[in-house]
Amino acid sequence: TGVQACALSDLGDLDRYGLGYKDLSATNPGLVYCSVTGFGQTGPYREKPGYDFMAQGMAGLMSVTGEPEGVPGGGPMRVGVPVIDIFTGMYATIAINAALAHRAVTGKGQHLDVALLDSCIALLANQGMTYLATGESPKRIGNTHPSIVPYQVFPTADGAMILACGNDNLFARFCGVAKREDLLKDERFAKNASRVKNRAELVPLLEEIFRQRSTEDWVDALETAGVPCGPINTVAQAFANPQVQARGMQIRLPHPLAGEVPLMGSPMKFSGTPIEHQLPPPVLGQHADEILEKVLGMDAAERARLRSAGAI
């Protein structure tokens, strides 16, 4: 019982062509089939179409992303990349691997029902648990952290940067680099709980301190002191970063239509079985006949029928 895959979007598409999961699983009890939809196969929204943007709004992610109301640029904000599409795919991959592990023991396959909205709810993480524990919806707080100060973006003499003092020791190191040990003697700022309480007083002081030096100067000095920090790069600067280059996150591969194309490398690094980037992105439908014929045993006439029906 090999792994079968289908590019159709949901069970409804399969059913239209007489290929429902139950029918297929009756023929192949070891079939592992994953459907990825906006809202899942159950519930009142199961027939609705869904997109990443919608999931971010409906699941509450946009309500905790962006600047607060009443400040320039305030209001709900989506994440700058389709993060829910990506995470839903990752959840689907984890689910498929778990189902394959189960099949290896029991010989039984199963249907996996993964949805964008569910994935976004799961992605709320600490913000979701804050609501569940307190009954209060978290608010947008921009680039600050709800329970750690300072942990945010600060303006510099030539741009902006991130400072992440996750504990009192790191804040003390920062004060040493900034030559502001006096802040440690102020009871309003000596401990993180006090800094959170007195955020409105501390942050303007730190903003003024950061404006006195360039981003590069601050990053060099703080990194030397072991204080987590970093610049806010453009995408071009990110790919030019020596760490990104050293990790092989940009590759080039030959393409049948576009010559040699630049691509992003895999973030997964295997010690025993290193990933080899060999194949460029396929052109539309490049492997459809090969998969249908060799994996599903579909003859030319059946493939032609599905193609004429718009299924492939």
Side-chain angles (χ1 to χ4, degrees), residues 50-58 62 77-78 82 84-85 116:
Y51 289 91
D52 177 283
F53 199 174
M54 294 167 57
Q56 290 195 38
M58 295 176 69
M62 291 176 62
M77 184 68 62
R78 71 174 179 87
I84 305 308
D85 283 346
L116 296 180

Side-chain angles (χ1 to χ4, degrees), residues 8 22 32 76 90 132 143 151 155 170 179 225-226 234 265 273 283 308:
L8 301 175
K22 292 181 180 179
V32 171
M90 290 182 175
L132 294 176
N143 288 315
Y151 195 100
L170 293 174
K179 295 181 172 56
T234 63
T273 55
V283 297
S308 64

Side-chain angles (χ1 to χ4, degrees), residues 10-312:
D10 59 31
L11 291 175
D13 284 334
L14 285 176
D15 289 339
R16 278 196 289 275
Y17 300 106
L19 296 171
Y21 171 76
K22 292 181 180 179
D23 294 334
L24 292 173
S25 64
T27 303
N28 181 1
L31 176 66
V32 171
Y33 173 78
C34 180
S35 61
V36 176
T37 59
F39 300 99
Q41 302 297 324
T42 60
Y45 293 176
R46 64 186 178 275
E47 298 294 334
K48 289 187 176 184
Y51 289 91
D52 177 283
F53 199 174
M54 294 167 57
Q56 290 195 38
M58 295 176 69
L61 183 60
M62 291 176 62
S63 76
V64 296
T65 305
E67 296 294 336
E69 300 288 353
V71 303
M77 184 68 62
R78 71 174 179 87
V79 180
V81 296
V83 63
I84 305 308
D85 283 346
I86 295 168
F87 269 93
T88 303
M90 290 182 175
Y91 280 125
T93 301
I94 295 169
I96 290 169
N97 284 329
L100 292 175
H102 176 263
R103 188 182 71 179
V105 175
T106 66
K108 296 179 180 179
Q110 58 188 299
H111 169 231
L112 309 170
D113 177 8
V114 181
L116 296 180
L117 184 63
D118 297 350
S119 298
C120 195
I121 291 290
L123 195 61
L124 291 177
N126 60 309
Q127 297 284 41
M129 284 306 304
T130 294
Y131 164 71
L132 294 176
T134 67
E136 298 182 6
S137 291
K139 305 297 184 182
R140 290 186 303 279
I141 55 175
N143 288 315
T144 62
H145 194 286
S147 57
I148 302 175
V149 175
Y151 195 100
Q152 64 185 83
V153 171
F154 285 101
T156 64
D158 61 352
M161 63 169 291
I162 296 166
L163 176 70
C165 292
N167 55 52
D168 293 334
N169 175 55
L170 293 174
F171 181 67
R173 294 187 189 185
F174 160 74
C175 290
V177 172
K179 295 181 172 56
R180 290 298 305 269
E181 288 87 350
D182 59 296
L183 295 176
L184 299 174
K185 300 176 183 179
D186 191 323
E187 63 180 12
R188 297 175 300 169
F189 312 137
K191 300 295 182 182
N192 182 68
S194 299
R195 292 194 295 275
V196 172
K197 182 178 180 180
N198 296 287
R199 184 195 303 262
E201 290 76 26
L202 177 60
V203 169
L205 294 175
L206 298 182
E207 289 177 339
E208 186 58 34
I209 292 170
F210 272 99
R211 287 192 181 98
Q212 297 172 11
R213 297 161 69 172
S214 69
T215 297
E216 183 178 5
D217 189 10
W218 274 117
V219 170
D220 289 345
L222 290 170
E223 285 184 344
T224 299
V227 179
C229 65
I232 301 175
N233 290 327
T234 63
V235 173
Q237 290 171 328
F239 276 107
N241 185 282
Q243 179 67 17
V244 174
Q245 293 182 348
R247 297 287 289 174
M249 290 307 299
Q250 180 176 344
I251 62 173
R252 301 187 70 86
L253 288 174
H255 190 276
L257 300 180
E260 190 177 62
V261 295
L263 299 166
M264 290 177 284
S266 172
M268 297 179 289
K269 317 300 182 185
F270 294 83
S271 64
T273 55
I275 289 177
E276 296 182 8
H277 299 94
Q278 297 179 343
L279 300 177
V283 297
L284 183 63
Q286 178 177 331
H287 302 110
D289 284 297
E290 179 182 354
I291 292 171
L292 293 173
E293 179 182 4
K294 294 183 178 180
V295 177
L296 297 183
M298 195 174 291
D299 61 27
E302 180 64 10
R303 298 199 303 274
R305 184 184 73 82
L306 289 176
R307 185 169 280 109
S308 64
I312 58 174

